[in-house]
Amino acid sequence: MTIRSTAPANRTPNRRQFLRAAGTAAGLAATYAAPRVTVLGEEVKGANERIGVGFIGVGGRCQAHIDIVKKLQEEGKAEPVAVCDVYAPRLEAARQKCGGVKAYRAHEELLQDPNVDVVCIASPDRHHAPQAIDAVEAGKDVYCEKPLTHWSQFELAKKLEEAAAGKRRIVQVGTQYMADENYAKVSQMIKDGVIGKVIHAQLGYFRRGDWGERMVIPDAGAKPGPDLDWERFLGDAPQVPFSVSRFFQWRLYWDYAGGPATDLLVHTFTPVFCLLGLDYPQRVFGGGGCFQYDREVPDQCNIIADYKNDPSIVMMNSLSNYTGIDTKIRGTDGIILLTNAGIRIVPIDPKTGKETDEIVLAWNGMGDTAKLWRNFIECVGSRQQPFSPISAAVRVQAPLSAGIIGHRENKVVLFDAEKQKLTLS
């Protein structure tokens, strides 16, 4: 994580404020979501039944998901039952890792498997929304890797939200920074006015190196054919000749990924978005570029998102320097900092202008993908909204997609509230 801790060790929470927030937050839905509801009259697996998981896209990131589900299998909560990928060697390796489960080359076939209760989607960005829509239409609950969609597919993000609501499906988006109950407490404190009116927020994601995008090429001689379905990989992307780099290092290319905005800033922006209970932005500015590495997507990315009658959000990124910044939420009467140590809330007395007793909440799972999975599995049984629900993810996607579009087109991007779409200014 790229934030740094500034919380002093000798400060303690204001007990009255903390208990009030904790009590109010009890039973709240995950930070940003409609109130939790139970789906009645629907057959779902109970807490004591093992849930069958099908994996779609079994590349590098999916290996962590498989490991987590195998651990849940030991606990009798979930088990791998099917895998799917367009690349045969990768598919076979995943099949064996999962204990010889069924293997499919097309996700539509996996979705017809009656043993699959939920799906984990870890394919390239461009396939997230189409595959998730197919999954909920097939009656499956979904754990979908971030980002919710490719940067050019914002309309599909909205369609996925509508489909999930219509089919009453649970969708957990894989932003593991959301795996912490403290967000609900702090969100309520913000609503109660602990730092006054929120006017500004800053966040960032910094590291040195583009190794996250420049993925390993396991077979430089790979080519389309029986073992590699290039057409299915492309999906609705531009039809271009096969390239080993495009296939294995897809995060380097605009056609399949959005660079730091949708791959990295989504992690640090989502908690801020949920803490503040935001909706769609009013206007978005995007900038940056490739200043160090030879690639299509930027290695430096900055986005400013302004919300009507609400805060201005400044998002910063560099892949050339790992010196980070704290996430800061500024109010008229105080500040909230998300640091490596936890959440630090510093109210200011509006009469004296001096800081009052600050509140420090240690992290309780933030960044833990396994906890996000456990929350997902619990919600599959309870039909409650998860930590990182579709309702938040589709609105998080809006300024990130807008920032990329604005950067590429050198224009300001507006959100048309009436038509519910992004427009160029």
Side-chain angles (χ1 to χ4, degrees):
M1 195 173 180
T2 56
I3 52 178
R4 58 183 174 80
S5 172
T6 58
N10 60 345
R11 296 290 188 97
T12 57
N14 180 303
R15 180 176 175 79
R16 178 180 60 82
Q17 290 176 306
F18 175 76
L19 290 177
R20 180 185 65 178
T24 305
L28 282 180
T31 313
Y32 179 94
R36 287 181 171 179
V37 296
T38 300
V39 177
L40 301 177
E42 180 179 3
E43 291 186 7
V44 295
K45 288 200 172 183
N48 297 322
E49 296 182 89
R50 185 175 291 178
I51 293 171
V53 183
F55 298 92
I56 302 175
V58 293
R61 178 55 180 159
C62 193
Q63 301 307 303
H65 296 310
I66 292 174
D67 290 339
I68 291 169
V69 173
K70 289 176 68 177
K71 178 64 176 177
L72 292 172
Q73 183 178 16
E74 296 174 2
E75 302 170 12
K77 295 180 179 179
E79 64 179 335
V81 296
V83 291
C84 175
D85 202 277
V86 300
Y87 184 52
R90 192 162 58 203
L91 178 63
E92 176 58 21
R95 188 186 72 83
Q96 294 183 17
K97 180 174 182 176
C98 291
V101 299
K102 291 184 179 180
Y104 299 96
R105 297 297 297 276
H107 75 275
E108 296 92 341
E109 296 174 354
L110 179 144
L111 294 176
Q112 294 174 8
D113 189 331
N115 294 314
V116 174
D117 300 306
V118 306
V119 297
C120 171
I121 298 174
S123 47
D125 297 1
R126 192 147 210 140
H127 297 283
H128 288 181
Q131 291 173 347
I133 291 172
D134 287 348
V136 298
E137 292 290 349
K140 313 296 184 182
D141 295 317
V142 177
Y143 183 108
C144 182
E145 259 300 335
K146 56 77 189 168
L148 184 62
T149 66
H150 184 258
W151 60 267
S152 67
Q153 298 171 319
F154 177 66
E155 289 304 314
L156 283 184
K158 293 173 82 313
K159 289 181 180 179
L160 174 55
E161 181 183 25
E162 293 168 2
K167 292 293 185 177
R168 300 186 295 184
R169 293 296 99 196
I170 300 297
V171 178
Q172 174 93 290
V173 182
T175 44
Q176 61 266 26
Y177 283 20
M178 287 300 298
D180 200 299
E181 294 86 353
N182 281 325
Y183 290 127
K185 301 173 186 177
V186 177
S187 178
Q188 186 60 48
M189 294 172 72
I190 292 173
K191 291 176 184 176
D192 289 345
V194 68
I195 60 169
K197 178 178 173 59
V198 176
I199 53 176
H200 187 273
Q202 70 176 47
L203 58 98
Y205 200 115
F206 298 83
R207 72 180 184 210
R208 181 172 176 80
D210 74 341
W211 38 265
E213 296 79 14
R214 204 168 297 278
M215 297 174 280
V216 174
I217 297 177
D219 181 6
K223 60 183 179 180
D227 287 346
L228 194 161
D229 192 337
W230 176 240
E231 294 301 318
R232 183 168 281 272
F233 167 82
L234 288 176
D236 67 351
Q239 299 296 301
V240 298
F242 174 77
S243 159
V244 168
S245 178
R246 279 178 173 267
F247 183 71
F248 289 114
Q249 299 179 312
W250 53 269
R251 284 197 179 95
L252 295 172
Y253 299 92
W254 282 122
D255 285 347
Y256 323 114
T262 51
D263 196 41
L264 302 176
L265 288 174
V266 64
H267 282 303
T268 47
F269 174 51
T270 300
V272 171
F273 174 93
C274 293
L275 282 171
L276 300 182
L278 301 176
D279 203 332
Y280 291 110
Q282 184 175 35
R283 62 182 176 182
V284 180
F285 308 82
C290 292
F291 300 158
Q292 181 174 4
Y293 303 104
D294 181 18
R295 47 190 269 178
E296 284 189 6
V297 297
D299 52 33
Q300 320 293 315
C301 174
N302 300 291
I303 296 175
I304 299 176
D306 292 334
Y307 288 80
K308 186 176 181 180
N309 300 322
D310 273 310
S312 182
I313 309 292
V314 179
M315 311 181 209
M316 295 170 277
N317 160 266
S318 173
L319 298 186
S320 301
N321 190 295
Y322 54 76
T323 305
I325 60 171
D326 284 329
T327 292
K328 296 181 180 179
I329 299 173
R330 296 179 174 88
T332 53
D333 299 321
I335 188 169
I336 295 175
L337 299 93
L338 276 60
T339 75
N340 286 338
I343 303 174
R344 182 178 166 216
I345 305 159
V346 186
I348 295 175
D349 188 327
K351 295 181 180 179
T352 65
K354 295 182 179 180
E355 294 182 2
T356 61
D357 289 343
E358 73 177 43
I359 305 156
V360 179
L361 302 177
W363 291 120
N364 186 31
M366 190 278 292
D368 187 346
T369 303
K371 183 168 183 175
L372 203 66
W373 261 100
R374 291 178 183 279
N375 170 250
F376 173 58
I377 295 300
E378 290 170 1
C379 291
V380 168
S382 69
R383 311 314 291 170
Q384 296 179 335
Q385 287 298 312
F387 282 143
S388 187
I390 180 71
S391 56
V394 68
R395 289 159 178 79
V396 165
Q397 184 73 35
L400 300 179
S401 288
I404 293 171
I405 294 169
H407 163 75
R408 285 170 53 87
E409 301 294 334
N410 198 29
K411 292 184 178 181
V412 176
V413 179
L414 306 178
F415 181 77
D416 188 322
E418 182 177 349
K419 296 181 179 179
Q420 292 283 290
K421 62 185 298 184
L422 302 173
T423 62
L424 291 173
S425 173

